[in-house]
Amino acid sequence: MEILKGVGASKGIAIGQLLFYTGDPYKVEKFSVKDTSAELQRLETARKKAIDSLNRIYEKALLEIGEKDAMIFQIHAMMLDDLDYIENITNLIVNEKVNAEYAVNETAQKFAQMFLSMDDDYMKQRSTDVFDISKSLVRELSSSKAHDLEYITGKVIIAADDLMPSETVQLDKSKVMAFVTRGGSKISHSAILARTIGIPAVVGLGDSINKLEDESIVIVDGFTGAVYLQPDTETIVRFTAQRDEYLATREKLLQLKGKSSETLDGVKVEINANIGRPADISLVQANDAEGIGLFRSEFLYMESREFPTEEAQFEVYKEVLERMNGKRVIIRTLDLGADKHVPYFNIPNEDNPAMGYRAIRICLTRPEIFNAQLRALLRASVYGHLAIMVPMITSLDEVLKTKEIIENIKTQLRDEGIAYSDDFEFGIMVETPAAAMISDILAQHVDFFSIGTNDLTQYTLAVDRMNHTIASLYDPRHLAVLRMMRMIVENGKKHGIWTGICGESAADAELIPAFLAMGVHELSVSPTAVLDVRQKVRDINLALCKEKILKRLDEGTLSI
């Protein structure tokens, strides 16, 4: 038995026979054409057919995986209307007098390289989207019959170099137990779709995937990213038991929908969801989150080719607030820079972007951007329970300047006769040691704190969380981080404001008792983790463990 190590991209365990999937061959030949007008017409016909095909896949996905994840196919259809993309193909056909398949292939390579050269992991993944739509175009141009994953017989585990989103959505759970890929990442669309469909997946196996053989028996552990090749009987028995236990747990969690997030001794905590798009709300509702603890507004900018207008932002915020029907929605103002970049912002490369020109630092020096967002937020405030949250705060001055801008915008809106509500909350994301150390002062000027544990851990421990070389030093359970969080919560309580957690630690089952002992009021996690966290909260008797946890924090002996 050999164990291969990849990245666990979708939870779950599968045991079964392997099938290598090669997909459509994406190979094209280059040849000269005399009638470029006819070639352009052939391209246009193929483009329309590809759009029709993507729209059909969208309709299918809408029924099977929901609006949020089906949206990618609408985006792909729109990409086939992208002027730059089509113009590049057209110019190659006209100027070089080459066949359309070759022009599409060359354009795909060019655009994919452009995305891969970006620092941001999210934008790098867009290279996959370019290849996916280009593949659709070549398929239509060559009239090749699409390889259909629906024709798989029996129950198998798919192995592939990579899976395109349009291929992943074709996976039939009754036939495909899991998939493993050579490439990919946790944030690729295929990984996201796998999590939504509920298929275990391990990605990023690299060249070790070559050790797998067609029809061999494997175990895929989507929790750890391990793939067991030709497992022995004892291992199969062990993983079969783990798989059955996990499936039973998932079924049991569904019974918590509609129930309160309350400890055994009656302490209530709000469990909310972190999202990035209005389409995610269906997942928020499906998992019974009590509100939205973090709406990452930067996705509005990252998915746009230019600065989104005030009107465009207003429509998005209004939709989110209306669909949440009076439940609190915390919208984080623009948090670009560091690991998230948008080309049209023209943010210069920096040696240390995590500590550079980002988030509130951009907003306060680019008032035209910040004003448009804040105006959109205030206008939307009449449609629900809005909370505005500002990230990357390090000083009181940043808070006061932001509040001053908000007051000026209120005056503008009043003068213009545009409605807004004064009944919204204003808070900050506490994610720097500076904000934590002056949280007693900041608490006097805001309505709430939300602790961003990812960056707070990074800055407190002086560990770049994107640096894989020192990844072992990045520890959200470090005593220094936990003590700092306790201080933030206590300073909030002293001044009558509530504190939540919206970083990844909020879903850490072993840390949740410590957070409740500190007095945290809200935990905001990914939508699919809401019921897991609710179950953990309902299992805790805080009266029995609170003093013990706090004493160990004082003594420095708290070990998770």
Side-chain angles (χ1 to χ4, degrees):
M1 180 177 71
E2 187 170 3
I3 304 173
L4 311 182
K5 193 74 178 99
V7 177
S10 179
K11 291 179 181 177
I13 290 169
I15 305 167
Q17 196 174 63
L18 199 74
L19 172 71
F20 268 94
Y21 171 73
T22 56
D24 292 332
Y26 189 46
K27 295 177 182 176
V28 298
E29 293 182 1
K30 178 183 180 183
F31 56 85
S32 299
V33 295
K34 291 181 181 177
D35 188 350
T36 55
S37 296
E39 198 65 9
L40 290 177
Q41 183 56 53
R42 202 163 71 86
L43 171 69
E44 179 59 15
T45 301
R47 191 182 70 84
K48 288 179 177 175
K49 285 184 177 178
I51 290 173
D52 288 343
S53 175
L54 284 166
N55 286 334
R56 285 195 298 275
I57 292 176
Y58 168 74
E59 295 296 333
K60 177 177 184 288
L62 200 59
L63 296 173
E64 296 182 358
I65 60 175
E67 182 182 358
K68 169 183 174 288
D69 293 311
M71 189 65 71
I72 182 61
F73 302 109
Q74 276 197 326
I75 293 171
H76 279 191
M78 286 190 285
M79 287 172 72
L80 284 171
D81 280 327
D82 183 274
L83 291 179
D84 288 342
Y85 176 76
I86 296 300
E87 188 176 270
N88 199 83
I89 298 171
T90 302
N91 287 342
L92 283 170
I93 293 172
V94 173
N95 298 333
E96 298 187 18
K97 300 187 185 306
V98 294
N99 56 313
E101 293 91 333
Y102 175 78
V104 170
N105 191 39
E106 288 293 296
T107 301
Q109 299 291 339
K110 176 182 173 182
F111 278 63
Q113 280 304 315
M114 179 184 72
F115 283 118
L116 287 170
S117 67
M118 295 180 182
D119 293 333
D120 181 76
D121 285 344
Y122 177 85
M123 298 307 288
K124 284 181 192 290
Q125 290 301 320
R126 303 293 67 79
S127 62
T128 304
D129 297 328
V130 172
F131 280 126
D132 204 1
I133 61 166
S134 301
K135 204 170 177 179
S136 301
L137 263 183
V138 170
R139 187 184 299 148
E140 297 295 345
L141 283 164
S142 61
S143 301
S144 66
K145 191 172 181 179
H147 186 106
D148 198 337
L149 286 163
E150 291 182 359
Y151 292 135
I152 289 174
T153 58
K155 291 177 77 72
V156 297
I157 292 171
I158 295 286
D161 279 347
D162 205 352
L163 285 175
M164 297 292 135
S166 57
E167 293 167 329
T168 308
V169 79
Q170 289 187 61
L171 299 179
D172 182 344
K173 272 185 76 173
S174 68
K175 298 172 182 173
V176 179
M177 295 182 284
F179 70 77
V180 299
T181 61
R182 182 192 301 274
S185 76
K186 266 188 173 181
I187 60 171
S188 68
H189 280 306
S190 292
I192 294 168
L193 289 170
R195 290 195 286 273
T196 304
I197 297 169
I199 293 180
V202 171
V203 301
L205 281 174
D207 289 341
S208 67
I209 199 172
N210 297 331
K211 296 179 179 179
L212 299 175
E213 295 179 2
D214 219 15
E215 299 185 359
S216 60
I217 298 297
V218 297
I219 295 174
V220 176
D221 185 346
F223 296 99
T224 65
V227 177
Y228 294 75
L229 177 58
Q230 298 292 16
D232 53 44
T233 304
E234 183 184 342
T235 304
I236 290 176
V237 170
R238 177 161 57 89
F239 273 93
T240 300
Q242 286 184 20
R243 180 195 62 192
D244 293 347
E245 184 181 354
Y246 173 68
L247 293 176
T249 301
R250 292 299 310 167
E251 190 65 27
K252 189 178 174 185
L253 282 177
L254 294 177
Q255 298 172 11
L256 293 179
K257 291 176 70 171
K259 296 189 176 177
S260 67
S261 305
E262 186 173 333
T263 64
L264 291 171
D265 53 322
V267 178
K268 290 184 180 177
V269 62
E270 198 172 309
I271 302 178
N272 295 333
N274 300 335
I275 66 169
R277 305 168 182 83
D280 297 339
I281 292 175
S282 56
L283 208 52
V284 172
Q285 293 166 337
N287 288 280
D288 200 30
E290 293 162 70
I292 293 174
L294 173 62
F295 180 90
R296 301 181 177 96
S297 68
E298 54 272 18
F299 279 99
L300 291 173
Y301 298 80
M302 294 172 73
E303 293 178 347
S304 175
R305 295 171 56 83
E306 56 190 11
F307 290 106
T309 63
E310 174 189 323
E311 194 62 27
Q313 293 187 67
F314 164 71
E315 291 296 335
V316 170
Y317 304 145
K318 174 176 177 279
E319 179 186 351
V320 173
L321 287 161
E322 283 184 331
R323 290 179 64 187
M324 288 306 293
N325 199 27
K327 293 180 178 178
R328 181 193 287 127
V329 177
I330 300 177
I331 298 181
R332 179 173 70 186
T333 56
L334 180 66
D335 190 12
L336 285 176
D339 60 337
K340 296 190 282 286
H341 285 275
V342 174
Y344 59 82
F345 265 71
N346 293 319
I347 298 174
N349 288 329
E350 298 176 312
D351 291 336
N352 195 347
M355 297 188 186
Y357 186 53
R358 56 174 294 200
I360 190 65
R361 298 170 183 179
I362 294 176
C363 290
L364 291 179
T365 53
R366 304 278 298 270
E368 74 282 7
I369 298 173
F370 204 22
N371 284 356
Q373 180 170 41
L374 291 173
R375 277 181 62 95
L377 284 167
L378 288 180
R379 287 174 57 197
S381 63
V382 297
Y383 295 95
H385 184 170
L386 172 69
I388 298 174
M389 178 167 70
V390 185
M392 196 59 187
I393 290 293
T394 58
S395 71
L396 175 61
D397 188 50
E398 291 165 335
V399 173
L400 296 179
K401 281 182 178 173
T402 302
K403 292 181 73 171
E404 184 181 344
I405 293 170
I406 289 174
E407 288 304 315
N408 288 339
I409 290 174
K410 284 182 182 178
T411 303
Q412 290 172 16
L413 293 175
R414 277 197 299 272
D415 291 345
E416 295 168 22
I418 298 175
Y420 70 90
S421 170
D422 261 323
D423 191 22
F424 66 88
E425 296 174 89
F426 174 77
I428 62 169
M429 201 161 170
V430 183
E431 53 189 338
T432 66
M437 294 304 293
I438 60 171
S439 53
D440 58 328
I441 299 170
L442 297 176
Q444 299 173 49
H445 299 274
V446 300
D447 299 314
F448 67 92
F449 288 150
S450 185
I451 302 175
T453 53
N454 300 348
D455 274 344
L456 184 63
T457 301
Q458 168 176 255
Y459 295 130
T460 301
L461 303 182
V463 175
D464 180 354
R465 61 193 174 100
M466 306 300 286
N467 186 336
H468 299 297
T469 308
I470 52 174
S472 62
L473 299 177
Y474 180 82
D475 180 12
R477 299 176 174 190
H478 193 291
L479 191 60
V481 178
L482 296 178
R483 282 186 169 183
M484 196 166 280
M485 294 176 72
R486 183 183 179 187
M487 180 178 71
I488 296 164
V489 176
E490 289 182 348
N491 280 332
K493 282 193 286 190
K494 282 179 193 171
H495 294 283
I497 68 168
W498 60 270
T499 299
I501 299 174
C502 61
E504 289 182 16
S505 292
D508 188 324
E510 293 184 346
L511 281 177
I512 289 172
F515 295 151
L516 297 190
M518 292 175 193
V520 166
H521 300 78
E522 178 238 18
L523 298 169
S524 194
V525 299
S526 68
T528 53
V530 167
L531 294 177
D532 284 302
V533 174
R534 181 172 295 165
Q535 180 63 70
K536 182 61 185 175
V537 168
R538 291 170 64 88
D539 287 342
I540 297 171
N541 188 326
L542 198 58
L544 291 180
C545 66
K546 179 177 178 179
E547 293 309 316
K548 184 179 176 184
I549 291 172
L550 295 180
K551 184 170 182 287
R552 288 168 66 190
L553 268 174
D554 288 336
E555 294 171 344
T557 57
L558 184 66
S559 176
I560 304 296

